[in-house]
Amino acid sequence: MILVKLGGSVITDKSRLKTFRKASCDRLCTELGQARKALAVVHGAGSFGHIEAKKHALHKGYRSDSQIQAVASVQRDVRELNLKVLGSLLDSGIRAVSVPPASAGSFSGGKLRSFSKAPFEMQLDLGLTPVSFGDVVPDRTMRFSICSGDLMMEALAKAFKPKLVVFCADVDGVFDRDPKRNPRAELITEFDESSLRSMRRTEARHADVTGSIYGKLERMLVISQHCEKCMIVNGNVPGRLRNAIAGKQVVSTLVVPG
Ligand code: IPE
């Protein structure tokens, strides 16, 4: 099986509320459609989730009744995005079905406490492509919390041991410095535990409602222990995802365990 995350920064314009990047999403789905392999997809929330979730501090859990309206509307918004992604996938010939995180997992303290692979397995057995996403979820201790798409990627990687895991980002991979600010930033082609340790010192302490880059990379390192190959590719460059799936050499960061 191949497990792919379509990052929210690729399929949406993260700076503009609820702005779907249809052309990018359609192209990525066409590339996925050419894979002809068993597939599970997870997508981020991008500007359909992050902006309002941050505004109402939904990642901190219940603080006051004033957040409840936002719990409902962010849930609605990420489903709106999910429907758009399903549309792109179906148009590309992929028989996609939606599996929201809370239908497979239960959460407390912002963490996934139990996960059932059955809802995904049943779809895969039928030749369908399950599609999950970052979402607002019920949480036993916080009353609600945010489940990131990356958390679902980790759960799915552990449950299905995919051959290949691909994260589609809006950059070529992990750089030694912020490539958006520093033109001399260099791509790290192989990222491991020691790369993470050296990042701790230099990491920009920038975090959104699902955490910092550091936390995301920590999670990818865990994922890399449960698959043959885990990589980050630039989803904005046509062909990168298709070539990565075809096993060709592509500009990327390979995330390797140990
Ligand atoms: C975010 O999920 C979920 C919500 C804010 C509701 P992700 O963290 O996976 O989304 P992206 O990929 O960063 O946009």
Side-chain angles (χ1 to χ4, degrees):
M1 188 189 89
I2 295 175
L3 177 60
V4 176
K5 172 154 186 216
L6 303 176
S9 55
V10 183
I11 59 167
T12 78
D13 178 342
K14 256 190 143 165
S15 63
R16 288 165 58 208
L17 186 65
K18 291 177 69 181
T19 307
F20 182 51
R21 297 180 67 207
K22 185 175 188 309
S24 301
C25 188
D26 282 350
R27 178 182 46 76
L28 287 169
C29 293
T30 304
E31 293 187 24
L32 281 177
Q34 291 161 358
R36 299 189 195 293
K37 289 174 187 155
L39 194 66
V41 177
V42 174
H43 65 81
S47 58
F48 287 70
H50 280 281
I51 297 174
E52 288 296 301
K54 188 164 192 169
K55 190 166 152 195
H56 299 279
L58 301 188
H59 54 302
K60 296 187 174 153
Y62 179 83
R63 296 280 163 100
S64 76
D65 286 348
S66 65
Q67 293 169 298
I68 305 304
Q69 174 68 30
V71 169
S73 61
V74 172
Q75 275 229 1
R76 190 260 330 266
D77 293 348
V78 295
R79 274 152 189 72
E80 209 175 302
L81 176 63
N82 181 243
L83 276 182
K84 292 179 193 295
V85 176
L86 288 180
S88 295
L89 287 166
L90 283 163
D91 288 348
S92 309
I94 296 170
R95 296 144 160 178
V97 285
S98 181
V99 184
S103 67
S106 57
F107 302 82
S108 78
K111 295 197 164 76
L112 185 60
R113 298 297 172 180
S114 66
F115 179 78
S116 158
K117 66 194 275 198
F120 291 92
E121 201 160 42
M122 288 160 76
Q123 315 288 13
L124 285 163
D125 286 348
L126 278 170
L128 293 164
T129 294
V131 183
S132 199
F133 50 90
D135 200 2
V136 186
V137 292
D139 187 294
R140 269 191 231 128
T141 54
M142 295 163 68
R143 303 181 77 183
F144 55 80
S145 62
I146 301 281
C147 167
S148 70
D150 291 5
L151 185 51
M152 289 310 286
M153 290 290 284
E154 183 183 334
L156 289 167
K158 285 179 174 165
F160 290 99
K161 312 278 179 215
K163 222 174 146 64
L164 175 67
V165 176
V166 187
F167 286 84
C168 295
D170 64 345
V171 285
D172 285 347
V174 186
F175 285 78
D176 58 353
R177 284 159 284 183
D178 184 349
K180 288 177 182 161
R181 281 191 222 147
N182 197 327
R184 282 209 293 268
E186 273 176 38
L187 183 68
I188 301 171
T189 53
E190 230 178 81
F191 187 93
D192 60 13
E193 285 288 347
S194 70
S195 328
L196 187 74
R197 279 197 298 276
S198 59
M199 252 190 92
R200 202 188 287 268
R201 291 187 294 271
T202 54
E203 181 215 5
R205 308 246 154 236
H206 175 81
D208 57 26
V209 293
T210 49
S212 64
I213 294 291
Y214 187 88
K216 287 176 202 276
L217 287 167
E218 224 170 9
R219 178 151 285 144
M220 286 183 199
L221 280 168
V222 174
I223 291 172
S224 72
Q225 294 167 17
H226 299 275
C227 60
E228 278 176 32
K229 193 173 177 184
C230 175
M231 61 202 298
I232 306 165
V233 302
N234 194 333
N236 286 328
V237 179
R240 288 264 167 94
L241 176 61
R242 181 182 45 237
N243 288 336
I245 290 172
K248 293 185 185 157
Q249 187 97 28
V250 290
V251 175
S252 63
T253 293
L254 209 60
V255 183
V256 293

